[in-house]
Amino acid sequence: MRAVSGFFAATGLSALIACSAAVAAEPITPQTFVHDAGVAGVYEINAAGIAMSKGTRDDIRAFAAEMVKDHTAIAAALKASAGSVAVPATVDKAAQAKLDALTAASGQAFDVLYVDQQVAAHDGAVTLFSQFADDAPDGTLKDFASKTLPVLKHHQEMANTLKSELK
């Protein structure tokens, strides 16, 4: 899994999560799941905060507000479910680069970039949580992944709808 994490650093948040299932011959470890889900959650909250102030459309700002609310709750549930596994409180370099790109963008270009990042991030999150929910041994963390998956799928649908409306 460390090779996958190196891949994550090189190509970004969604690439790691989307490729973990394809690259990993073995199930995702609880440590890797908590790390990847934690980084993704911090990214989601920070990106949404930027979108709430820079988004030019009401629907994008409303989506961002929902992301802050839901991902803050998901982060708390992850922390409660992680047991002795440390949950990251910051983003990694790849996620920071995405946040920096959002900070630098403005106007309609910002809206398009934010929505594209959200589609990719939620595609990756659904893949990560699905694989962990399917393959992990029974326990609190697997239950968390299973219970969170419908929320992430809903976010994925919302992001895809926003993307289709931006065209």
Side-chain angles (χ1 to χ4, degrees), residues 55-143:
T56 65
R57 295 169 44 129
D58 290 341
D59 55 352
I60 289 175
R61 289 190 303 274
F63 173 81
E66 187 167 337
M67 294 307 99
V68 169
K69 179 180 71 72
D70 290 353
H71 284 281
T72 298
I74 291 168
L78 175 62
K79 191 174 272 191
S81 302
S84 63
V85 180
V87 178
T90 60
V91 295
D92 60 13
K93 288 180 183 179
Q96 186 60 54
K98 291 178 183 293
L99 293 171
D100 292 346
L102 289 174
T103 300
S106 62
Q108 185 178 3
F110 172 84
D111 293 343
V112 170
L113 179 61
Y114 175 66
V115 170
D116 284 348
Q117 285 187 10
Q118 289 303 296
V119 168
H122 284 94
D123 287 350
V126 167
T127 299
L128 174 70
F129 277 69
S130 293
Q131 182 181 359
F132 194 77
D134 289 346
D135 296 341
D138 289 340
T140 305
L141 202 52
K142 179 177 180 146
D143 291 345

Side-chain angles (χ1 to χ4, degrees), residues 6 19 25 29 36 39 42 55 83 93 104 108 110 114 122 133 149 152 159:
C19 290
T29 66
D36 294 353
V39 168
V42 174
K93 288 180 183 179
Q108 185 178 3
F110 172 84
Y114 175 66
H122 284 94
L149 192 54
L152 296 174

Side-chain angles (χ1 to χ4, degrees), residues 2-87:
R2 285 300 114 211
V4 173
S5 292
F7 179 73
F8 176 18
T11 60
L13 180 67
S14 62
L16 163 74
I17 296 171
C19 290
S20 349
V23 173
E26 59 197 54
I28 299 170
T29 66
Q31 294 78 7
T32 298
F33 174 76
V34 168
H35 175 270
D36 294 353
V39 168
V42 174
Y43 158 78
E44 282 294 334
I45 294 165
N46 290 338
I50 296 167
M52 286 175 21
S53 66
K54 293 187 79 171
T56 65
R57 295 169 44 129
D58 290 341
D59 55 352
I60 289 175
R61 289 190 303 274
F63 173 81
E66 187 167 337
M67 294 307 99
V68 169
K69 179 180 71 72
D70 290 353
H71 284 281
T72 298
I74 291 168
L78 175 62
K79 191 174 272 191
S81 302
S84 63
V85 180
V87 178

